[in-house]
Amino acid sequence: MNGANDPEREQALEQYKNKLLESREWEAKLKALRLDIKGLQKDFDTTEENIKALQSVGQIIGEVLKQLDEER
């Protein structure tokens, strides 16, 4: 039996090629999603820092207002 003309072999090779291409496409999609997550994590961390800074400013303002009320 000649391996070059074996239809079952050709079909198996074609299926393998298709699955390999599909796998590479999924890897590329996964990489893009991981990069998106990385960017979103950066944005989240920045937002968290901004919230903490805002809370600190709020506490300072609260302390100042409390002192002003006591002085009345």
Side-chain angles (χ1 to χ4, degrees), residues 9-38:
R9 182 177 187 271
E10 292 295 322
Q11 183 182 10
L13 284 173
E14 191 63 33
Q15 287 175 350
Y16 175 75
K17 288 179 196 175
N18 291 337
K19 288 295 180 181
L20 189 59
L21 287 173
E22 184 181 345
S23 173
R24 288 183 181 161
E25 288 172 3
W26 280 109
E27 285 175 7
K29 289 177 185 178
L30 181 61
K31 184 177 180 180
L33 288 172
R34 284 183 176 151
L35 288 175
D36 288 347
I37 289 172
K38 199 176 198 180

Side-chain angles (χ1 to χ4, degrees), residues 50-66:
N50 291 342
I51 289 172
K52 288 177 186 176
L54 184 60
Q55 287 174 335
S56 296
V57 169
Q59 283 181 334
I60 292 169
I61 291 172
E63 289 173 11
V64 169
L65 290 176
K66 185 177 178 182

